[in-house]
Amino acid sequence: MRFAAFFALALLLPLGAVATPAFADKRVALVIGNCDYSAAPRLRNPSADAEAMGALFESAGFDNVEIRQNLNRLDMRRAIRDFSELAQDADIVVVFYAGHGIGIGADSYLVPTDAKVVRDIDVENEAISLGEFLRVLKPAKQLRLVLFDASRDNPFARTMQRRAGRAPNPGLANIEPTDSDTLIAYATKAGSEAVDGDGPHSPFTAALLKNLMTPGLDIRRAFMLVRDEVMQATDDKQEPFVYGSLGASDVTLASPAGQDRPPAR
């Protein structure tokens, strides 16, 4: 079920029925920014986007923040494997990825810097499926959050040979998380393409930096603000979209005011 239904339900609840905000004991984040590609156009913003998002998590007192830049296929899989160890006993697990992402049929993939997708059948070996990221988040006790600033144009679409009949999509494929307490935020809705923007950060990342760590702000409300700001910045051409659901309790990524812990890296 998409967020809209939950927002409508929340508006109908009496104020006394809203639970007090929940705050997790252990928060960990994996941040990846890929911009220097060998067989695809270079992207301008992902490196700065990843650095800024990593700094945001660190300033919010996350226990572990792993920041990785320009990962090839092997290093990307190693980063996911190593991060899975940190996620084993975490309450909140967050993954942020900025870079090229492609949708093929019903599946979405994140593109390592050395990927060469000549045929549609290459994508499973050359790229990292969204499912691999979701498996890393499974142990989280309270919230699984994936932030994908990756819905740019498919750099392989024009030249890709279709051997398995899997057509490339604009943007990322639609997704409905199967695990509860899981949110997947796309920079723009499935089947659409996002823009890099003219500033130091993409419109989506800029809005995340402004709203995601507001103390006491429920994450669903934060994403509503992100959506509105991105749409305003792009003249309604790009609408961020969140897939998944949470329970009735408020969930905030930031520590309560004045209680941030220094990150342990």
Side-chain angles (χ1 to χ4, degrees):
M1 184 182 299
R2 292 177 179 172
F3 251 145
F6 288 94
F7 291 150
L9 178 61
L11 292 175
L12 295 175
L13 289 173
L15 291 177
V18 178
T20 55
F23 174 64
D25 291 327
K26 182 175 180 181
R27 299 165 294 163
V28 298
L30 172 63
V31 178
I32 298 175
N34 283 349
C35 59
D36 294 329
Y37 287 89
S38 60
R42 186 184 189 279
L43 296 173
R44 182 168 58 88
N45 286 327
S47 181
D49 289 346
E51 287 293 336
M53 289 297 296
L56 181 71
F57 295 130
E58 289 177 339
S59 67
F62 270 53
D63 297 87
N64 291 92
V65 181
E66 301 297 319
I67 305 172
R68 300 288 182 265
Q69 297 275 15
N70 292 314
L71 299 183
N72 61 30
R73 186 168 57 255
L74 179 58
D75 288 340
M76 208 161 168
R77 287 203 163 94
R78 283 174 174 166
I80 295 170
R81 178 199 63 194
D82 294 344
F83 184 69
S84 68
E85 297 298 319
L86 295 176
Q88 287 301 312
D89 59 348
D91 296 277
I92 287 179
V93 179
V94 182
V95 171
F96 172 85
Y97 172 82
H100 277 303
I102 58 177
I104 304 286
D107 301 313
S108 295
Y109 298 86
L110 292 309
V111 182
T113 57
D114 61 344
K116 295 179 177 64
V117 182
V118 178
R119 301 164 295 270
D120 55 2
I121 58 175
D122 294 334
V123 68
E124 293 179 358
N125 291 323
E126 295 289 322
I128 309 296
S129 73
L130 180 54
E132 288 191 51
F133 282 91
L134 295 181
R135 284 192 289 274
V136 170
L137 276 64
K138 259 189 175 298
K141 301 180 182 73
Q142 183 184 348
L143 173 67
R144 306 166 185 89
L145 177 61
V146 181
L147 306 166
F148 280 135
D149 200 349
S151 307
R152 298 166 174 86
D153 62 319
N154 184 335
F156 309 109
R158 293 184 183 87
T159 59
M160 184 188 301
Q161 301 172 24
R162 300 181 188 180
R163 298 290 177 83
R166 301 174 68 195
N169 309 324
L172 300 178
N174 189 36
I175 186 168
E176 292 294 342
T178 56
D179 291 324
S180 61
D181 299 319
T182 300
L183 299 180
I184 301 174
Y186 284 178
T188 190
K189 66 174 60 176
S192 304
E193 294 179 359
V195 298
D196 273 339
D198 299 323
H201 300 294
S202 76
F204 182 59
T205 294
L208 289 175
L209 292 169
K210 181 178 177 181
N211 296 289
L212 199 59
M213 291 299 176
T214 302
L217 183 66
D218 179 65
I219 191 169
R220 286 158 288 202
R221 175 65 178 165
F223 280 123
M224 294 170 87
L225 296 173
V226 168
R227 172 197 174 273
D228 288 352
E229 291 186 11
V230 172
M231 291 190 71
Q232 181 178 8
T234 62
D235 294 325
D236 294 341
K237 294 183 178 68
Q238 178 177 331
E239 181 183 6
F241 221 75
V242 181
Y243 303 86
S245 66
L246 299 179
S249 297
D250 286 356
V251 178
T252 176
L253 289 184
S255 301
Q259 297 183 26
D260 280 349
R261 302 181 302 275
R265 293 192 63 190

